[in-house]
Amino acid sequence: ELKVEQNPLFLSMQEGKNYTIYCNYSTTSDRLYWYRQDPGKSLESLFVLLSNGAVKQEGRLMASLDTKARLSTLHITAAVHDLSATYFCAVDASGTYKYIFGTGTRLKVLA
Amino acid sequence: DAGVTQSPTHLIKTRGQQVTLRCSPKSGHDTVSWYQQALGQGPQFIFQYYEEEERQRGNFPDRFSGHQFPNYSSELNVNALLLGDSALYLCASSSGRTSGRDNEQFFGPGTRLTVL
């Protein structure tokens, strides 16, 4: 059964600092998605990664995918308070039509 | 262009009751997936509907059932509610007609179900 693990689960960081969130998954997949969720809200799509070596950037966030290592990273550059949220990765296991979500990383950026 | 919509926003039920949640997919999408998100956890896949049939199902009991209508909207039904069914129920839509390479899912605002 496909498992998706994220670390860290909680992350408290100062504004202006850099950090990386890791997403490991247990079976073959070439589709990985990153979502942001604010408290009490739904999921907002951040990145869609569809192939090995894919890298996408939007503002202070950059996501990458290594399908051989079964690893995706979400890198935060010069964090700002507005980035405070919970971040989820989700894997679409090949041929199953369903997303398996990671445990989530709760990010708090301190001013 | 309307995104994914869900109703109701909030719902309070008591144990043993039945509930129906509704979802309208994003324009142009024909596939609807349902997820349950308990407080502090990631969403858990319940099932997916495509062409009015259940195409895939997660590890949820038969108390959870669904339906998809010809206009692609969908309902999630939960019978014999338990306290543990309290959660945010999310609907996501996608397109099943593409080659499937993208398969990006867009999420609705969710229905917050509280079971007392």
Side-chain angles (χ1 to χ4, degrees), chain A residues 8-109:
Chain A
L9 297 182
F10 298 96
L11 177 57
S12 180
M13 57 191 297
Q14 296 287 331
E15 276 192 332
K17 298 294 186 181
N18 304 332
Y19 209 84
T20 299
I21 299 170
Y22 297 89
C23 173
N24 291 90
Y25 54 97
S26 62
T27 194
T28 301
S29 175
D30 58 0
R31 301 176 195 163
L32 190 134
Y33 310 84
W34 283 96
Y35 288 87
R36 167 182 172 146
Q37 187 175 40
D38 291 295
K41 303 293 185 180
S42 188
L43 298 168
E44 173 191 354
S45 178
L46 294 175
F47 299 108
V48 178
L49 303 171
L50 299 177
S51 62
N52 187 42
V55 177
K56 290 196 175 179
Q57 183 164 4
E58 180 71 33
R60 301 176 187 273
L61 301 177
M62 182 174 70
S64 66
L65 178 62
D66 181 343
T67 59
K68 294 180 181 177
R70 299 177 183 174
L71 170 68
S72 179
T73 61
L74 180 66
H75 186 73
I76 303 159
T77 301
V80 293
H81 179 71
D82 286 351
L83 291 179
S84 296
T86 299
Y87 293 85
F88 291 98
C89 63
V91 174
D92 181 356
S94 299
T96 66
Y97 303 108
K98 63 183 181 183
Y99 281 16
I100 304 299
F101 279 82
T103 46
T105 296
R106 187 177 300 176
L107 170 66
K108 185 172 184 179
V109 181

Side-chain angles (χ1 to χ4, degrees), chain B residues 79-97:
Chain B
N79 294 322
L81 284 167
L82 304 174
L83 295 179
D85 294 333
S86 295
L88 179 67
Y89 287 84
L90 295 164
C91 166
S93 75
S94 56
S95 175
R97 293 190 183 131

Side-chain angles (χ1 to χ4, degrees), chain B residues 21-112:
Chain B
L21 311 182
R22 296 177 176 82
C23 171
S24 291
K26 181 180 168 67
S27 179
H29 285 177
D30 55 7
T31 302
V32 173
S33 302
W34 286 92
Y35 294 82
Q36 179 196 65
Q37 186 178 24
L39 196 62
Q41 298 183 20
Q44 300 290 316
F45 177 81
I46 302 174
F47 42 54
Q48 183 181 89
Y49 277 85
Y50 172 66
E51 293 188 339
E52 300 181 51
E53 290 193 359
E54 183 181 290
R55 178 158 71 172
Q56 186 66 247
R57 188 178 182 93
N59 295 325
F60 279 80
D62 292 343
R63 298 187 297 109
F64 290 77
S65 63
H67 187 76
Q68 185 177 35
F69 299 94
N71 66 352
Y72 309 122
S73 66
S74 177
E75 288 182 349
L76 164 65
N77 301 291
V78 186
N79 294 322
L81 284 167
L82 304 174
L83 295 179
D85 294 333
S86 295
L88 179 67
Y89 287 84
L90 295 164
C91 166
S93 75
S94 56
S95 175
R97 293 190 183 131
T98 67
S99 64
R101 178 159 174 74
D102 185 324
N103 200 31
E104 184 177 7
Q105 296 187 8
F106 294 84
F107 286 80
T111 294
R112 174 74 62 185

